[in-house]
Amino acid sequence: MTASPDLPRPDHRAAAALCVLLGSPEDLRRPGVREAAERARDLLRSGADADELATCYRALDTALRQAGDARGLDSESRGGTAPGITPHIKVAVCPGSTRCTRIERARDLLPAPHCAVNGTRMRKGRLGSAQ
């Protein structure tokens, strides 16, 4: 088994990775992953403190790695950002009070994607220079 790296303090990237993970039925079928992911989601929704979230994210990262996902939770391949997007493109962003950096391309005629962390649809907007 690969040693799990220390995750940074709970930040927006981990919340974005959690959101992408919760939207992936294949990943949630792995043993122990669904329970750990749902616990992290519940803590994030309830506004838990940073230490408690960090502990939960580490447990989820460990569950993913033990289930055979070498990426763990907080990796670039989980889709925390959308490289190559230019500022005039419409995007869907996190709608919650605990905002993550997940960005999805928003299609005009389709509803915004679902945010699994906050349990609502993402909000549509234009990509800003800070994103």
Side-chain angles (χ1 to χ4, degrees), residues 38-49 52-53 56:
E38 288 174 350
R39 172 148 170 69
R41 179 199 59 207
D42 293 344
L43 286 174
L44 195 56
R45 281 182 179 174
S46 70
D49 68 2
E52 192 174 7
L53 274 170
C56 193

Side-chain angles (χ1 to χ4, degrees), residues 30-102:
R30 297 172 187 250
V33 172
R34 176 179 296 279
E35 297 80 13
E38 288 174 350
R39 172 148 170 69
R41 179 199 59 207
D42 293 344
L43 286 174
L44 195 56
R45 281 182 179 174
S46 70
D49 68 2
D51 292 336
E52 192 174 7
L53 274 170
T55 301
C56 193
Y57 286 151
R58 274 192 296 276
L60 178 54
D61 183 74
T62 300
L64 283 163
R65 291 174 189 275
Q66 287 176 341
D69 187 340
R71 298 174 297 175
L73 174 65
D74 197 19
S75 81
E76 294 296 321
S77 62
R78 283 260 179 239
T81 61
I85 292 184
T86 57
H88 65 278
I89 293 178
K90 292 180 183 177
V91 293
V93 295
C94 183
S97 57
T98 306
R99 297 198 50 173
C100 68
T101 58
R102 180 180 176 199

